[in-house]
Structure formats: structure tokens, C-alpha cells
Amino acid sequence: MSAHALILAGLDGDRTWRLQDYVARGGYAALKKIVAEKTPPDAIIAELKASGLRGRGGAGFPTGLKWSFMPRAFPGDKYLACNSDEGEPGTFKDRDILRYNPHAVIEGMIIGAWAMGCTRGYNYIHGEIFEIYRRFEEALAEARAAGLLGRNILGSDFSFELFAHHGYGAYICGEETALLESIEGKKGQPRFKPPFPASFGIYGKPTTINNTETFASVPFILGMGGEAFLNLGKPNNGGTKIFSISGHVNRPGNYELNLGTPFAELLELAGGIRGGRKLKAVIPGGSSSPVLPANIIMDCTLDYDAISKAGSMLGSGAVIVMDESTCMVKALERLSYFYHEESCGQCTPCREGTGWLYRVVHRIEHGLGRPGDVDLLKSVAGNIMGRTICALGDAAAMPVQGFVKHFGDEFAYHIEHKQCLVPRGVQDAGSQIYVSPSC
Amino acid sequence: MILTPETLQEFDREIAKYPAGEQRSAVMACLALAQRELGWLSPETIEFVANYLGMAPIAAWEVASFYNMYDLAPVGRHKITVCTNLPCALSGGVHAAEYLKKKLGIGFDETTPDGKFTLKEGECMGACGDAPVLLHNNHRMCSFMTKERIDQLLAELEKQ
Ligand SMILES: Cc1cc2nc3c(=O)[nH]c(=O)nc-3n(C[C@H](O)[C@H](O)[C@H](O)COP(=O)(O)O)c2cc1C
Ligand code: SF4
Ligand code: FES
């Protein structure tokens, strides 16, 4: 972890997740100040806008703006949902936030509820992290017992109830409207938008959904001021961001860095490439972001604008590193399998298209590729893009486009020679993707 | 009654998380609790949960069949789900899965003849930095699963 850390700062002991420890780190000071001073919602939203905070769940939408969409004078319940359904391959930051600093998320949600007039909230927690779901429930109990949650928070007339909802294994529930359906006790199938959740969310009530890391940033922003947070990063890319780095590095893990930090610095923090091999490519923002070859990523800074200029996305901040021993066809084959598996099946282009993409990459990988297959991949991916209810369709198409664009020669070689461009021995020594020769 | 009073108490605790009249929201949690007690979800169990929540059995069935962690057929006493998605694969996820297959003598979606172990292939568990990772009976995540650690885990489970 870095010197600039906010959310991950000071998390060294084994009780950092306890209320008492959080308070000792300055936790709940922002909330207490807001309640004592009766800070108007507009002032909080203005502070968030000044901070340049953008959603940390993948899309990077400005949080202050999102919060301003909630209707003011709505009679009855308004909802807040936290998206901890972290399932985008490569992403494992929200788990650590909940594991080591859950009260930052709770405080951020309470402040959000105050600013948007929400009465109830749910944190939707990824199915596979049951132990962390349990811990979060304990943290909620601590907050309730301390008068920070529930009726008349800190003796004021402001009330907000917050609960944890445990997922049970469906990547698509990370999509915000699928998440709403799931909370309602249904299959996680995304809804058509509009209507947007701010007008029709959980049980048809106005709802705002943010990622875990987004909520966890809020107390820090109000503590230090929006401008100070913004200045940690760069214009339009305020603050710090947690990068989950995985793959062929010596020290995979979470590193919280100021937005705008050079990629090379993150790679160094993660101990560089394993076995002294050379960097080949990086998927910079979770499996759905287009892959970037070494020469491009090594010149990038890690922020929304720079990565998007380089032709990819900062996404969830999940940095997947691949060294020179990696077969790019094999890598794409596994990702395409994933999207096909996880498509909810509602839209034809996604349901059929993801299967088609997988089958074509699979046959190229297994020496059965046909001349024309690369063009076929491009055309199928292009026909999914923008033609589906939710962004999973795009998420499946973008990796294909990225891999084919930058590593088209490997696909062509596979098709022509029925084998890998990367020699077998090199792969066995390094990439670990294979167990037995099958390429 | 097919579930213990303790489990039903947990049902009620889950139902209380949602507004009055929206108890259907607790269906995921109740199905998970029922599976924890009974090992898998039979049609009768799903119907029981649906009736408890006042929802149509078919609606509960839709939920049970949509989410991957519900088992709609019996599984071994120990269900082991290994993540083989790309980030894990780059750090030995597939090796871990192959090793398990060899040691247990079964493939994915199979159960050992003694009914002790079932092996499943999983997708990203949000723990890619700890690869190889696997999940034991949906609830316990095991990290950095080298061959030695897999041996240890299997020996421990074998005794249970
Ligand atoms: C297929 C799919 C999966 C997603 N998975 C997640 C996820 O695991 N966590 C998350 O926060 N956002 C995820 N998102 C993005 C959410 O839809 C939504 O944009 C986000 O939760 C909003 O929060 P933010 O503005 O704070 O980022 C996913 C989107 C799609 C299309
Ligand atoms: S794009 Fe895919 S996952 Fe999204 S709603 Fe359509 S079929 Fe479902
Ligand atoms: S890819 Fe295996 S836990 Fe994420």
C-alpha cells in the first residue's frame, strides 16, 4: 500500500474493522459534524462534485451528479444500495475494504442517505465471500448499538436503516438493475432503462446505487474537503483509487494510489514481473476492458482519461498483468467462456453472440480455426456492441476487439499453423495457463 | 416440518431485513439457509421455502436455478469450487484444479463414489490476488492453494 492511501491507510492490526478502531482513525467524525451542524444536502453534493469523485464500480460516472438526480420531495421510502457484488475478473478491492474497513462504507452510506433523504439501504455482497458478509453484519450491529444507524441517528430526527443482502453466485447481479431485481427476490435479469433507478429502483422507489469503494471515499472527501481530494489526483480524475493487480507479478494485491500515477510505478510496487520475464500486455480495468500491449501501457498514467485515450478503460481498477510467456488466444478463450456462461440470456445478440464468440476463439485455440475467423470475430463483436439491454454485451465484445486489434498476428498464426506463436516450452515455464500441452 | 426451528428463526431474521409485505426479498437467503441444513435443494425444499415466504413455488425455483451456488442435485459432503478464470489461471488456478481432479479421481461436476467430495469449476470469486483460490461448501474461502495446501485441506476434510 502506498503513502497516499486514504481508504487503506492505517489498516495494519487485526481489529481494524472494529468500530472502536475506525473511530480512533478519525472515523465517523464527518458524519457527526454533518448531524451536529445540520449540513444541508446541497452542500454535501456540492462537495462531492468539487472532489471529482467518479464511480469506482466500472463506469466512472461522477458521483455528485448521480446523487443530485434523486427526487427531493418524494413521499415515502427512498433507497440506497451499495454494490459489493465484485465479480469482474481481476477485481478484489471491495472485499479488502469490507474486510479491513467496513465502517468507512457504512459511514459513506449514512452520509449518502442524509444527502439524498434515503430511509433504507442494502449492501449487496458477492456470494463467494460469505465470511466477509458475516463481518459486515457484525459491523452493522456495532453501528446500530452506537446510535449511528437506525432511528434518530446520533439523537437527531434523521433515521436510516441499513442491511446486508448476500448474493449467491451470478456475475450479472453486479449490473445495477440486475442487483435491484435480485434484492427484490428475483432472478438477476437487468431492467430496461429508462426508467432509471433514481425514479424507479428497489420496489419501484427512488434508488441510488454506488460501488463499495465510492461510498468508502465519501467520509474522506468530507473530512479533507472536495478540493483537497481532487488535488490528490488530477482534474476530472480526483482522489485516490485502489488498484487490484493480479497475474504475472511478484506481489499481487491491492495498492491505493493517487489517480494519475504512472503505471510503471504500480508495476514496481507489485514487485515487477515474475521470473524476470518481460511484460507482454495488461488488461487495465477488469476483464471487460480492452487489453493494451506493453509499449502502450508502460507510457500510461493510471486515470480514467489517460487509459481511455490509450484505447481502453480504467473500469474497476483491476490490472491483469501478462508476461511474454502468455498465449493471447488462450487468454481470450477463457474470458469469452466466462461472458458466455454469465449472460443472463434476455437479449438475443448477447445470448447468441457470446456463445458464438467463445466457439470461434475456442476453435482457433484448438487448431481448428478457419481463414476468415478473425473477421468473423470482429463482426460478431461489432454486432453485439450497443444492441443489448445491459452492458454485459459490450463487456463481452470489448475484450475480443482489443485482443484481435493488438495481437491479431497470434490469432492469424494459430489459424495458419494450428499452433501457438509462443513456443510451448516458453509457455510451460511461465504463463501457467496450461497444464498439459494442448495448444 | 423439514427444517429445524433454529433455521426457521434465521429465516425470520432475514425476512425482518425487508419492509412489511416484501418478504420475498429473503428468498435467496432462505434458500441458502435451507441448503446449508439439508445439503442441497430438492423440489420439496424449494416449495417449502416458497410457502414460508408466501410466494409461488415456481418463482422460488427460478431463483434457485438462476444463481450458481445453489445445488439442485445432491453433492458430496464437501463441495470444492476452484476458480479457473484468467487472473487466477495466470497464477496456477488451472494447476490447482488439475491437481484436485487427479487426487480425487473425478472431473468437474462429479462426486467421489464415497460421497465425500464434489468438484466444481468456479468463476471469479473476487480474490484473484490470492490465487489459486477455492471455496469449500460455499462458505469458506481458501487462498494460495498450492499442492501442499491442497493436500492439507483434503486431509483435514477427510477426517470430518
Ligand atoms: C455486467 C456488469 C457487471 C458489473 N459488476 C459490477 C460490480 O461487481 N461492482 C460494481 O460496483 N459495479 C458493477 N457494475 C457497474 C454497475 O452497473 C454500476 O455502474 C455501479 O455499481 C455504479 O456505482 P458507481 O457509480 O459508484 O461506480 C457492473 C456492470 C455490468 C454491466
Ligand atoms: S446484455 Fe446479456 S446479460 Fe445484459 S440483459 Fe442482455 S442478455 Fe442479459
Ligand atoms: S479470477 Fe479467480 S478469484 Fe478472481
Side-chain angles (χ1 to χ4, degrees):
Chain A
M1 275 153 232
S2 81
H4 315 299
L6 298 176
I7 300 173
L8 298 182
L11 301 181
D12 293 328
D14 54 5
R15 298 174 55 82
T16 61
W17 61 281
R18 290 282 181 194
L19 175 62
Q20 205 186 346
D21 271 47
Y22 181 61
V23 170
R25 293 195 301 274
Y28 287 110
L31 176 68
K32 285 175 188 154
K33 186 154 176 274
I34 288 167
V35 173
E37 293 177 2
K38 299 198 164 51
T39 311
D42 283 340
I44 293 173
I45 291 175
E47 208 62 56
L48 280 187
K49 286 186 176 164
S51 76
L53 176 67
R54 296 171 62 169
R56 302 302 196 222
F61 193 82
T63 307
L65 188 59
K66 186 187 271 191
W67 286 18
S68 71
F69 293 154
M70 281 288 266
R72 280 300 158 81
F74 182 88
D77 283 331
K78 283 189 270 182
Y79 284 86
L80 199 56
C82 176
N83 191 341
S84 300
D85 193 38
E86 191 170 58
E88 168 93 352
T91 320
F92 48 94
K93 64 193 175 67
D94 298 337
R95 168 175 174 246
D96 272 3
I97 297 173
L98 295 174
R99 181 153 61 162
Y100 302 120
N101 209 1
H103 282 288
V105 180
I106 297 173
E107 185 181 5
M109 290 191 76
I110 303 171
I111 293 172
W114 172 281
M116 291 177 273
C118 298
T119 45
R120 298 178 74 90
Y122 293 96
N123 185 9
Y124 191 102
I125 298 179
H126 195 214
E128 282 82 352
I129 54 172
F130 178 73
E131 290 129 321
I132 277 135
Y133 162 75
R134 275 280 175 78
R135 174 170 290 187
F136 190 77
E137 291 224 303
E138 270 188 65
L140 286 176
E142 285 184 321
R144 277 186 206 114
L148 294 161
L149 265 183
R151 284 178 162 277
N152 303 107
I153 290 174
L154 296 167
S156 70
D157 56 7
F158 161 57
S159 302
F160 174 61
E161 305 283 354
L162 178 58
F163 304 95
H165 184 103
H166 189 205
Y168 230 59
Y171 166 65
I172 190 58
C173 289
E175 196 282 333
E176 58 185 21
T177 59
L179 182 143
L180 302 177
E181 289 284 297
S182 188
I183 288 179
E184 291 182 1
K186 300 175 187 156
K187 289 189 287 193
Q189 289 192 320
R191 299 175 179 172
F192 278 106
K193 293 192 269 192
F196 289 94
S199 52
F200 193 90
I202 302 175
Y203 312 128
K205 309 286 189 193
T207 302
T208 291
I209 303 130
N210 279 115
N211 171 256
T212 319
E213 186 184 354
T214 310
F215 280 121
S217 305
V218 169
F220 295 96
I221 291 170
L222 293 170
M224 73 198 308
E227 208 182 312
F229 184 84
L230 174 68
N231 290 336
L232 288 175
K234 55 190 240 191
N236 198 34
N237 297 267
T240 61
K241 171 85 191 78
I242 302 176
F243 293 96
S244 307
I245 183 165
S246 65
H248 295 148
V249 290
N250 283 307
R251 285 193 299 276
N254 285 313
Y255 298 86
E256 185 176 6
L257 302 175
N258 292 341
L259 281 169
T261 301
F263 166 77
E265 214 169 287
L266 174 65
L267 186 59
E268 202 181 311
L269 280 169
I273 305 289
R274 282 203 307 248
R277 279 182 291 272
K278 261 177 41 198
L279 177 67
K280 180 171 191 172
V282 169
I283 300 176
S287 60
S288 43
S289 63
V291 66
L292 296 174
N295 63 330
I296 295 184
I297 188 74
M298 284 307 282
D299 284 340
C300 277
T301 55
L302 294 166
D303 56 82
Y304 297 94
D305 295 341
I307 300 286
S308 124
K309 219 174 126 203
S312 187
M313 298 178 338
L314 190 75
S316 59
V319 177
I320 307 169
V321 176
M322 292 174 278
D323 72 23
E324 57 189 335
S325 65
T326 314
C327 166
M328 299 313 261
V329 182
K330 182 74 186 170
L332 179 62
E333 184 199 14
R334 186 60 183 87
L335 292 181
S336 296
Y337 175 78
F338 168 72
Y339 287 106
H340 173 50
E341 269 291 303
E342 300 293 332
S343 164
C344 86
Q346 271 190 111
C347 333
T348 312
C350 172
R351 183 185 61 239
E352 302 302 325
T354 53
W356 205 353
L357 289 176
Y358 170 64
R359 285 191 302 276
V360 175
V361 181
H362 180 80
R363 77 177 178 226
I364 298 177
E365 166 61 20
H366 289 85
L368 301 167
R370 304 168 194 165
D373 268 357
V374 170
D375 287 333
L376 180 61
L377 284 177
K378 284 187 198 159
S379 127
V380 175
N383 279 319
I384 298 174
M385 289 290 285
R387 291 197 167 83
T388 55
I389 294 175
C390 89
L392 187 138
D394 292 5
M398 285 183 297
V400 173
Q401 294 173 332
F403 272 82
V404 167
K405 176 174 170 201
H406 292 294
F407 298 96
D409 54 335
E410 284 194 39
F411 288 78
Y413 191 92
H414 261 267
I415 294 170
E416 198 181 329
H417 301 281
K418 318 285 178 212
Q419 60 173 339
C420 275
L421 188 55
V422 183
R424 179 84 252 160
V426 175
Q427 291 196 48
D428 283 345
S431 78
Q432 304 228 350
I433 305 191
Y434 296 98
V435 169
S436 54
S438 62
C439 197
Chain B
M1 185 83 68
I2 53 175
L3 294 164
T4 61
E6 290 75 38
T7 298
L8 294 182
Q9 261 174 20
E10 290 192 68
F11 274 30
D12 294 341
R13 210 180 63 90
E14 290 296 331
I15 292 167
K17 290 180 179 177
Y18 306 95
E22 305 288 0
Q23 68 271 25
R24 172 184 180 161
S25 286
V27 67
M28 290 178 67
C30 294
L31 288 170
L33 288 164
Q35 175 165 301
R36 189 192 66 190
E37 185 179 329
L38 301 170
W40 66 290
L41 295 175
S42 68
E44 293 72 35
T45 308
I46 293 170
E47 192 173 344
F48 175 87
V49 170
N51 289 337
Y52 197 91
L53 296 172
M55 63 194 283
I58 183 69
W61 176 265
E62 274 190 356
V63 170
S65 57
F66 186 84
Y67 298 89
N68 294 334
M69 288 165 65
Y70 297 114
D71 294 309
L72 302 181
V75 291
R77 187 134 44 91
H78 305 290
K79 180 174 80 166
I80 295 179
T81 313
V82 197
C83 176
T84 60
N85 207 312
L86 180 63
C88 273
L90 297 171
S91 290
V94 179
H95 287 69
E98 288 302 316
Y99 187 66
L100 276 159
K101 283 183 192 166
K102 212 170 74 196
K103 274 211 82 158
L104 297 172
I106 52 175
F108 286 136
D109 296 318
E110 290 177 4
T111 299
T112 51
D114 61 5
K116 271 194 184 152
F117 293 97
T118 297
L119 196 59
K120 297 248 173 198
E121 181 169 37
E123 293 299 344
C124 182
M125 300 177 181
C128 339
D130 298 354
V133 290
L134 57 82
L135 196 61
H136 172 243
N137 284 349
N138 288 347
H139 283 172
R140 172 178 166 207
M141 192 179 284
C142 305
S143 302
F144 305 109
M145 296 310 282
T146 53
K147 283 182 182 171
E148 299 74 52
R149 290 172 64 105
I150 290 175
D151 288 344
Q152 276 169 22
L153 177 74
L154 292 183
E156 176 201 321
L157 299 179
E158 191 73 48
K159 278 186 230 138
Q160 285 174 23

